[in-house]
């Protein structure tokens, strides 16, 4: 018995160790030597303090014109009949501009003297460029790989585009402008708005490519303050473009004119974001022999078709009588009667004298 006892103690059974560990560590947490160390939780970032930005200082701009989303594609004389959003929603952001938003524009608060404004623009432009200087600038900026280029799309000369032009003028004395879409119907208006709103001078114009020069005395460090629009405002509601009965026609005559236009061959086929420089001239030429014409705008888009309708109504001029399935039907109006009345009035005046 004495011989067996030390042998049992020297070789204890395995189940005795498991029983010892299970009972000795049951009430405590067992932590093996190679267990992964738990990382401390990351502190949550503090929310930014918006207290100093709640009442930002309004931006004051000395530009002498009303701020609009688009200067070339809107008519300031045409009053809308309704708005799609409240007037208090200014696209410049709440409290960021010292001008009130009227739904279509942000008018100037203090009217400036037009003579002083004109004198300042003349001073910035300085002396006219010589032919050699113009040729050098044109050769530098007229190519498609020019780095100083901004694009003019269907919204025309927009307010934020003015800031892009002045940003290009920081590093170059001229900027190349590529025009596409509906504004190319009236390139004269585009050039006028660019020169008036930016203060520069267009020194090159070829089809839809323009080069805008900054002027001899332009200082990029003293550029005008141009507050940016944070979003595009909803366009207001204007009167109906196409009337049920055209002015000067009866219902039956209007219906007959529409049928003639739908079954006539298309004068032109317009593409989306195309160059429409020669469309007005083609329409005027067609109205010399035709009374009703049709324009195929199936790839242009509904919104752009309406813009084209408005432009042609004022530029041709003509009367839009139908807009269906992206087909524009235009009527030239009663021009023969107007000419006959003008001739008769001239004859009466000559006979009276």
């Amino acid at each position: 018995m004495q011989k067996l006892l030390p042998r049992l103690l020297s070789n204890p059974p395995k189940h005795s160790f498991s029983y010892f560990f299970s009972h000795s560590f049951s009430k405590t947490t067992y932590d093996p030597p190679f267990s992964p160390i738990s990382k401390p939780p990351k502190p949550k970032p503090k929310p930014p303090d918006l207290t100093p930005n709640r009442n930002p200082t309004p931006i004051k701009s000395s530009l002498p014109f009303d701020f609009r989303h688009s200067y070339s594609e809107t008519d300031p004389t045409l009053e809308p009949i309704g708005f799609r959003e409240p007037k208090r929603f200014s696209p410049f952001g709440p409290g960021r501009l010292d001008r009130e938003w009227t739904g279509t524009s942000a008018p100037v608060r203090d009217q400036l003297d037009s003579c002083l404004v004109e004198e300042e623009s003349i001073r910035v432009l300085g002396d006219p460029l010589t032919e050699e200087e113009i040729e050098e600038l044109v050769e530098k900026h007229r190519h498609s790989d020019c780095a100083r280029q901004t694009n003019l799309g269907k919204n025309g000369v927009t307010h934020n585009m003015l800031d892009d032009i002045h940003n290009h003028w920081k590093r170059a004395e001229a900027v190349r402008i590529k025009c596409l879409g509906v504004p190319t119907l009236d390139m004269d208006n585009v050039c006028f708005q660019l020169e008036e709103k930016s203060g520069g001078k267009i020194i090159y114009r070829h089809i839809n490519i323009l080069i805008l020069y900054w002027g001899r005395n332009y200082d990029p460090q003293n550029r005008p303050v141009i507050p940016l629009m944070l979003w595009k405002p909803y366009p207001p509601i204007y009167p109906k473009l196409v009337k049920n009965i055209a002015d000067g026609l009866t219902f039956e005559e209007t219906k007959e004119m529409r049928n003639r236009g739908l079954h006539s061959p298309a004068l032109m086929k317009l593409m989306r974001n195309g160059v429409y420089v020669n469309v007005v001239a083609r329409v005027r030429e067609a109205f010399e022999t035709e009374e009703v014409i049709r324009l195929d705008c199936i790839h242009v888009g509904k919104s752009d078709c309406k813009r084209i309708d408005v432009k042609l109504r004022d530029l041709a001029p003509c009367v839009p009588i139908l807009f269906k399935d992206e087909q524009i039907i235009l009527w030239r109006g009663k021009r023969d009667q107007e000419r006959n009345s003008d001739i008769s009035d001239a004859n009466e005046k000559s006979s009276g004298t």
Side-chain angles (χ1 to χ4, degrees):
M1 185 68 181
Q2 292 179 354
K3 294 180 179 179
L4 291 175
L5 182 61
R7 187 180 300 174
L8 291 174
L9 293 176
S10 60
N11 297 322
K14 294 183 179 180
H15 63 85
S16 62
F17 282 104
S18 61
Y19 179 82
F20 171 76
F21 278 108
S22 63
H23 283 269
S24 60
F25 293 100
S26 60
K27 297 182 181 180
T28 60
T29 303
Y30 173 65
D31 186 14
F34 299 104
S35 62
I37 300 175
S38 60
K39 296 182 180 179
K42 294 183 179 180
K44 295 182 178 180
K46 296 182 179 180
D49 188 8
L50 302 178
T51 304
N53 296 329
R54 287 180 182 175
N55 297 319
T57 304
I59 300 174
K60 185 177 181 180
S61 178
S62 60
L63 292 174
F65 52 84
D66 299 346
F67 292 162
R68 294 176 173 271
H69 174 257
S70 176
Y71 298 105
S72 62
E73 303 306 303
T74 55
D75 187 3
T77 61
L78 186 60
E79 292 293 333
I81 60 176
F83 296 93
R84 291 185 173 89
E85 62 182 357
K87 298 180 182 179
R88 65 178 182 274
F89 294 153
S90 173
F92 294 95
R96 292 174 55 89
L97 186 65
D98 64 339
R99 304 184 184 186
E100 294 184 1
W101 181 254
T102 63
T104 57
S105 65
V108 181
R109 279 193 169 185
D110 302 327
Q111 294 294 336
L112 302 177
D113 190 358
S114 58
C115 296
L116 296 177
V117 173
E118 186 176 358
E119 290 176 0
E120 178 64 19
S121 62
I122 293 174
R123 185 195 67 80
V124 173
L125 288 177
D127 298 332
L129 296 175
T130 62
E131 294 184 359
E132 291 77 10
E133 292 174 334
I134 293 176
E135 290 179 0
E136 181 180 356
L137 286 174
V138 169
E139 183 62 27
K140 184 178 178 181
H141 294 87
R142 71 182 180 89
H143 301 285
S144 59
D145 58 349
C146 176
R148 302 300 163 198
Q149 173 179 313
T150 182
N151 297 325
L152 187 145
K154 66 179 182 179
N155 293 322
V157 183
T158 59
H159 179 78
N160 289 357
M161 183 181 177
L162 301 179
D163 185 71
D164 293 339
I165 291 174
H166 284 280
N167 288 335
H168 283 296
W169 280 347
K170 288 181 180 179
R171 300 172 178 83
E173 53 189 348
V175 57
R176 182 178 187 264
I177 302 175
K178 183 179 181 181
C179 308
L180 294 174
V182 182
T184 57
L185 285 168
D186 191 3
M187 289 296 297
D188 294 337
N189 183 36
V190 170
C191 295
F192 172 76
Q193 296 295 340
L194 283 172
E195 291 183 346
E196 183 186 22
K197 300 303 186 294
S198 67
K201 180 69 175 178
I202 292 178
I203 59 176
Y204 177 79
R205 173 179 172 181
H206 178 68
I207 307 177
N208 65 322
I209 303 298
L210 306 174
I211 295 180
L212 187 63
Y213 175 64
W214 63 4
R216 291 187 182 274
N217 302 321
Y218 177 80
D219 185 8
Q221 302 299 327
N222 297 325
R223 54 175 287 181
V225 178
I226 304 177
L228 296 179
M229 283 191 175
L230 303 183
W231 64 82
K232 179 181 176 180
Y234 285 104
I237 302 173
Y238 289 99
K240 193 175 181 180
L241 178 61
V242 179
K243 299 181 180 180
N244 294 331
I245 301 176
D247 296 336
L249 295 177
T250 63
F251 176 76
E252 296 297 333
E253 290 174 342
T254 304
K255 185 177 179 180
E256 192 268 337
M257 287 287 182
R258 289 170 176 168
N259 290 331
R260 284 174 54 186
L262 286 174
H263 293 87
S264 63
L267 175 66
M268 298 181 66
K269 186 173 183 179
L270 306 181
M271 303 301 293
R272 187 177 183 85
N273 292 331
V275 180
Y276 310 140
V277 175
N278 61 340
V279 173
V280 176
R282 291 280 302 273
V283 170
R284 290 175 179 173
E285 183 181 357
F287 277 146
E288 296 295 331
T289 56
E290 300 291 336
E291 192 174 7
V292 182
I293 62 173
R294 178 172 67 91
L295 297 178
D296 187 0
C297 305
I298 194 169
H299 299 292
V300 173
K302 187 175 181 180
S303 61
D304 286 358
C305 284
K306 293 182 179 180
R307 296 170 186 262
I308 293 172
D309 251 354
V310 174
K311 291 276 189 181
L312 293 177
R313 180 193 63 182
D314 300 332
L315 297 174
C318 58
V319 181
I321 59 175
L322 184 62
F323 172 72
K324 182 180 180 181
D325 297 333
E326 297 183 358
Q327 303 293 315
I328 298 176
I329 309 300
L330 302 174
W331 173 50
R332 69 180 179 183
K334 293 188 175 182
R335 298 186 178 183
D336 296 337
Q337 294 182 3
E338 294 177 358
R339 291 175 182 175
N340 293 335
S341 62
D342 295 339
I343 294 172
S344 60
D345 293 341
N347 292 336
E348 289 177 0
K349 292 179 181 180
S350 61
S351 61
T353 55

